[in-house]
Each structure stands twice: as structure tokens, then as C-alpha cells.
């Protein structure tokens, strides 16, 4: 089980304090208060109040007359009434009136918290700008909101921690790899790029960074187009995905390249004008592969075929979704 | 620059709507797909006269969220279908590549800047 302290320190990094700070300073009382609280009329009896306390398990209530707050009645007032045996008397006789301690719906929770501290009251009726009672707030409401925010932060922090540091982190073996194989048809321009797009998608799905997925896809795409343009009968692409490196092989069985070094020169091409019209064959494909991969090697023999191998290093940052 | 601004500048037409609000920082105009892939940068508009599906593939690989075809050449339906599938916006400009690029540049869309010189044989 993960240590809560580790999570807390992580939360510190993700700005937990800032978030709680924001909550207390910026969140208005209206978001935290209990809306439409139970109220009493000044003409209700203390017995009515007692029944209300019992029914709702509360410890006090605002007293309202003509939609205006006229007093607050609490459990202490009820005890007082009980002592004098006057439970049939009106709430009006026991409630606190005058300079009532209230909260404003629009003020920040921080202000309400300060007022609780300063006055020692247990609850405050909440008034809107037109002095109408819209809710009631207790210290408990604020605590609950804070706990809720903390819970969300914990969930966030846990999610950050559970993200993979490298591919297949959850799988244990001496060596793990995922093999993806695609056949590429000669002259199949319409589907050209299909294999590369699928490899890119697979990488993104297992958690590769978009940057890593892009450079693998671009290099593979160039290799795929080469198989379509230059081979006798197409070829295949094999992607071998390992926790710390990706190897892609594009292989065909002919015609083979007479001079591999020459073929690697920028701008060198044997493509027909028809291919060039399609936007390829400008002699930049291998240059592009070289640039996108960390290692590239090409073997070819006329009459046998060509094997292009590309290696991509996976750094911990690249293996993780940003 | 958003896509509506681009359409206004080149008096163009939207052929495939974007999946989300696209804001482009720069453009690359080329008919050579490898050249596009060689120097791709994020949030790039691909301006091209090449209307086959490979233009869409290239935009997808290069993570260019939008394509602008030039000289009023309406792309074949395979191209539009692939763009729809890949979620890449497609627009059409009635101007040539040179004029389309000129209008966009004048309107403030950046290019890729100075690139390294690659000696060719």
C-alpha cells in the first residue's frame, strides 16, 4: 500500500496547498452552505422548536418573519426554557435578536471562517444582498467542503503516481516485447501509411508521448512508402516494442539496392515521374528516417532484397503520457 | 490563425470541418511529402497541390491539424473520406500555391523559418 505521506508530498508538488488556499479564499459561502434551512416563526412555541431539533437532528435555527431574519434560536435557549418550565411560550421570548451574526452568500469562505473564530458561534444564517435568508452555514459545512477537496486531490495524486514510468510496467518477465506485423502491397498507394498510422496508434495507446509516437510514425511511413514504390512484390513491417526501445524493420524480397551508400544521399532517387507526381520519390525518405530514429541500418543485395532497421530509444519521459 | 480567418484570406471553401477549434501558428507549403515530414512543427497548416490521400497521411504523421489544397483542385473522395476518418480539416483555395502562400504570409501566418542546408548530390 502506498504511503499517505508520499502522496501528500506529491500533492505538495501538484499544488495542493494552493488549491486549498484557493478554496478558502475564493469559494463563496453560497457554495458551502446548506440551502433552504429549516426556519421557525417567532410565534412558534419552544415545543415546536424542540420537535424540530429532534426531527432534523440540528442544534439551532434561524427565526424568520415576513421573509426577514429576526432572530436565531439555539439549543441553549431551549435548555433555558426547560429550566423555567415555559416550553409553551413563544420562540420570540427566548431567541437571540439584535445585532445577529450572519454570513453573506457572496463572501469568501475565509471571511466566514474568521467570523466563526472571532465570535464563537456555532452557525450563521446566510443572507443574500437583498437581506433574504438563503441558507445556513456551520463550521461542519466548511470542514466537509475541505475534506471533499482533499479527497479530490488525493485521487488526482494517486492517478499521477499510477501512471506508467515505462511501457508494460505492470508486466513482469525477464524480457517483454510487443510485436506488430504488417504486410505492405506493392503499388498500393491508397493504403500507404496504414501500417504506420496503426503503429502510431498502438504506441499512443500503451502510453508513449506524442513526440515519440510521431518520430516512429514518420520514419515508418517513409519506409512503408519505399516498400510500395520500389519493391517487386511489396514487403512487411515489423515493429518490436520493448520497455526501453522500439525496433522497426521494413523488409522486402527484391529487387535490392545496388549501392546502399548512394541511396542514402539526400536527393538521390530512382523514382519515376509518376511517383513524383504523387508527392514522393524526391530522395529525402532515408534522410528523414535517419533524422527521426536513433539508429538506422540498411542491408541490401540485388536479387535478394532489402532490410531497413530503425531503432528508437525510449526515455522515461517519452514513455509517459504528458 | 483560425480556419475561418484562413478561408477569409484566400477566399476559400471548407471541405472537411475540423473536429475541434483549430488555431494554427505556421504553415508549410509543399508538394513533396518527405520535405513536409522532415521539417514538421506543431500547429502547422499543410498547404499543398497534392490532392491524393497521401497528403492526409502526411498531415496525420506530421500532426498538422488542417490541410489547404491550392489552385481550386477539388480532391478525390478517398482523400476527403480519409481526412474525415483521421479528423483532419480540409480546405480549398482558388489561388495557386504561390499566391495562396503569399496571401497567408501577408495576413500574418508564419513559416518554418530558416532551415539547415542539406547538400544533395
Amino acid at each position: 500500500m502506498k504511503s499517505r505521506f508520499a502522496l501528500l508530498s506529491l500533492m505538495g508538488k501538484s499544488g495542493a496547498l494552493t488549491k486549498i488556499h484557493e478554496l478558502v479564499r475564493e469559494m463563496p459561502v453560497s457554495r458551502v452552505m446548506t440551502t433552504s434551512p429549516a426556519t421557525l416563526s417567532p410565534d412558534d412555541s419552544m415545543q415546536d422548536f424542540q420537535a424540530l431539533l429532534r426531527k432534523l437532528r440540528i442544534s439551532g435555527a434561524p427565526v424568520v418573519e415576513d421573509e426577514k431574519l429576526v432572530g436565531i434560536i439555539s439549543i441553549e435557549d431551549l435548555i433555558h426554557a426547560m429550566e423555567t418550565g415555559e416550553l409553551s411560550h413563544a420562540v420570540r421570548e427566548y431567541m437571540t435578536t439584535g445585532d445577529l451574526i450572519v454570513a453573506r452568500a457572496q463572501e469568501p469562505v475565509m471571511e466566514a471562517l474568521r467570523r466563526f473564530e472571532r465570535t464563537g458561534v456555532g452557525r450563521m444564517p446566510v443572507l443574500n444582498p437583498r437581506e433574504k435568508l438563503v441558507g445556513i452555514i456551520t463550521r461542519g459545512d466548511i470542514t466537509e467542503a475541505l475534506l471533499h477537496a482533499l479527497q479530490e486531490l488525493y485521487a488526482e495524486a494517486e492517478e499521477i503516481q499510477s501512471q506508467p514510468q515505462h511501457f508494460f510496467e505492470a508486466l513482469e518477465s525477464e524480457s517483454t516485447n510487443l510485436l506488430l506485423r504488417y504486410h505492405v502491397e506493392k503499388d498500393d498507394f491508397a493504403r500507404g501509411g496504414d501500417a504506420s498510422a496503426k503503429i502510431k496508434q498502438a504506441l499512443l495507446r500503451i502510453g508513449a508521448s506524442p513526440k515519440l509516437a510521431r518520430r516512429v510514425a514518420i520514419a515508418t511511413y517513409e519506409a512503408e512508402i519505399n516498400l510500395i514504390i520500389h519493391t517487386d512484390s511489396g514487403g512487411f513491417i515489423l515493429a518490436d516494442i520493448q520497455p526501453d526501445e522500439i525496433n522497426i524493420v521494413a523488409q522486402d524480397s527484391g529487387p535490392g539496392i545496388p549501392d546502399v551508400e548512394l541511396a542514402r544521399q539526400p536527393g538521390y532517387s530512382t523514382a519515376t515521374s509518376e511517383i513524383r507526381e504523387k508527392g514522393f520519390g524526391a530522395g529525402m525518405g532515408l534522410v528523414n528516417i535517419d533524422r527521426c530514429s536513433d539508429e538506422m541500418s540498411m542491408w541490401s543485395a540485388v536479387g535478394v532484397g532489402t532490410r531497413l532497421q530503425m531503432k528508437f530509444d525510449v526515455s522515461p519521459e517519452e514513455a509517459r503520457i504528458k | 490563425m483560425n480556419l475561418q480567418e484562413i478561408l477569409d484570406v484566400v477566399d476559400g471553401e471548407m471541405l472537411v470541418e475540423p473536429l475541434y477549434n483549430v488555431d494554427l501558428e505556421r504553415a508549410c507549403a509543399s508538394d513533396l511529402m518527405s520535405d513536409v515530414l522532415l521539417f514538421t512543427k506543431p500547429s502547422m497548416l499543410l498547404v499543398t497541390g497534392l490532392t491524393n490521400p497521401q497528403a492526409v497521411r502526411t498531415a496525420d504523421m506530421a500532426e498538422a491539424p488542417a490541410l489547404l489544397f491550392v489552385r481550386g483542385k477539388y480532391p478525390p473522395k478517398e482523400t476527403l473520406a480519409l481526412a474525415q476518418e483521421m479528423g483532419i480539416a480540409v480546405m480549398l483555395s482558388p489561388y495557386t500555391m504561390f499566391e495562396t502562400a503569399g496571401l497567408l504570409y501577408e495576413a500574418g501566418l508564419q513559416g518554418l523559418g530558416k532551415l539547415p542546408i542539406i547538400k544533395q548530390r
Side-chain angles (χ1 to χ4, degrees):
Chain A
M1 197 176 136
K2 277 165 201 145
S3 150
R4 286 285 162 195
F5 295 110
L7 277 177
L8 265 176
S9 75
L10 211 73
M11 283 167 53
K13 276 180 210 159
S14 70
L17 283 177
T18 322
K19 283 195 179 174
I20 290 172
H21 197 70
E22 261 172 36
L23 177 85
V24 178
R25 287 194 55 158
E26 282 162 30
M27 188 180 275
V29 162
S30 58
R31 290 272 306 276
V32 175
M33 69 183 187
T34 304
T35 51
S36 45
T39 60
L40 285 163
S41 148
D43 299 325
D44 287 334
S45 70
M46 289 307 278
Q47 237 155 1
D48 294 332
F49 177 45
Q50 189 184 20
L52 190 74
L53 292 193
R54 208 176 270 152
K55 191 173 147 218
L56 300 179
R57 295 177 178 279
I58 52 178
S59 57
V63 185
V64 177
E65 191 169 35
D66 297 330
E67 290 205 341
K68 280 202 76 177
L69 180 75
V70 292
I72 298 172
I73 187 103
S74 72
I75 204 158
E76 287 81 28
D77 302 321
L78 180 69
I79 292 167
H80 187 204
M82 279 171 157
E83 280 168 356
T84 51
E86 293 169 334
L87 280 181
S88 59
H89 285 216
V91 162
R92 188 190 303 277
E93 291 173 34
Y94 290 91
M95 69 186 188
T96 305
T97 55
D99 231 355
L100 295 173
I101 296 153
V102 298
R104 299 284 164 181
Q106 300 311 315
E107 71 182 340
V109 168
M110 172 73 107
E111 293 298 318
L113 205 54
R114 282 207 186 114
R115 206 161 311 126
F116 274 125
E117 285 293 315
R118 210 177 52 234
T119 61
V121 296
R123 73 195 64 75
M124 290 190 283
V126 182
L127 303 181
N128 73 8
R130 292 191 309 282
E131 299 295 307
K132 200 187 153 200
L133 178 79
V134 290
I136 191 155
I137 187 168
T138 63
R139 291 167 188 247
D141 291 331
I142 297 175
T143 313
E144 206 174 304
L146 285 174
L147 283 176
H148 188 75
L150 266 175
Q151 204 174 18
E152 274 178 10
L153 286 167
Y154 265 132
E156 229 171 80
E158 251 170 334
E159 198 182 322
I160 291 168
Q161 216 174 43
S162 65
Q163 270 172 13
Q165 302 293 305
H166 57 74
F167 304 147
F168 322 123
E169 193 184 47
L171 307 178
E172 275 186 45
S173 83
E174 280 173 11
S175 103
T176 307
N177 36 357
L178 173 66
L179 288 180
L180 302 170
R181 193 191 155 100
Y182 304 89
H183 181 73
V184 180
E185 293 282 351
K186 175 185 168 54
D187 292 335
D188 190 4
F189 254 101
R191 283 185 52 223
D194 217 33
S196 318
K198 282 174 178 157
I199 290 171
K200 182 181 176 186
Q201 224 168 43
L203 285 172
L204 289 172
R205 252 179 224 164
I206 62 172
S209 71
K211 193 183 153 214
L212 174 66
R214 182 168 64 230
R215 61 192 187 99
V216 172
I218 290 175
T220 310
Y221 181 49
E222 293 284 7
E224 193 176 348
I225 292 294
N226 281 345
L227 290 179
I228 291 169
I229 297 175
H230 296 295
T231 56
D232 293 332
S233 56
F236 67 85
I237 289 175
L238 191 68
D240 176 1
I241 302 162
Q242 294 171 31
D244 49 4
E245 65 179 66
I246 297 166
N247 284 287
I248 307 241
V249 171
Q251 193 165 327
D252 62 67
S253 46
I257 303 166
D259 187 340
V260 171
E261 272 318 299
L262 183 62
R264 288 184 67 162
Q265 299 281 317
Y268 177 81
S269 178
T270 57
T272 62
S273 57
E274 198 192 331
I275 297 294
R276 285 170 198 252
E277 269 169 30
K278 288 186 162 120
F280 291 93
M284 295 305 284
L286 290 172
V287 178
N288 226 344
I289 291 172
D290 202 17
R291 187 175 156 272
C292 287
S293 62
D294 291 303
E295 255 178 70
M296 165 193 164
S297 65
M298 198 160 69
W299 175 92
S300 191
V302 175
V304 181
T306 303
R307 180 186 166 91
L308 171 71
Q309 197 157 354
M310 305 169 267
K311 180 169 163 274
F312 304 85
D313 297 328
V314 180
S315 61
E317 299 80 52
E318 282 190 315
R320 197 183 310 159
I321 301 169
K322 287 276 158 63
Chain B
M1 193 179 278
N2 68 38
L3 300 191
Q4 191 51 53
E5 288 168 325
I6 288 169
L7 289 177
D8 289 346
V9 168
V10 301
D11 197 14
E13 210 179 295
M14 182 76 83
L15 304 184
V16 177
E17 294 278 345
L19 283 184
Y20 54 94
N21 244 347
V22 173
D23 193 25
L24 298 157
E25 285 169 29
R26 54 184 74 80
C28 172
S30 177
D31 284 348
L32 295 173
M33 296 300 108
S34 291
D35 281 5
V36 174
L37 292 171
L38 196 50
F39 300 115
T40 173
K41 278 186 179 173
S43 301
M44 186 179 83
L45 171 72
L46 175 54
V47 183
T48 184
L50 186 84
T51 57
N52 68 34
Q54 295 310 319
V56 177
R57 285 287 186 202
T58 301
D60 179 47
M61 299 298 166
E63 270 154 28
L67 262 169
L68 177 61
F69 292 125
V70 297
R71 67 187 137 91
K73 197 166 143 196
Y74 204 95
K77 60 179 190 303
E78 307 90 81
T79 300
L80 295 177
L82 187 66
Q84 194 93 50
E85 187 192 324
M86 295 273 163
I88 289 165
V90 178
M91 298 172 290
L92 184 59
S93 161
Y95 292 100
T96 62
M97 175 93 104
F98 179 73
E99 284 171 286
T100 301
L103 287 167
L104 290 173
Y105 193 79
E106 204 175 48
L109 195 60
Q110 296 295 300
L112 299 181
K114 198 172 165 187
L115 298 171
I117 290 166
I118 299 175
K119 287 224 171 72
Q120 306 208 5
R121 58 180 300 285

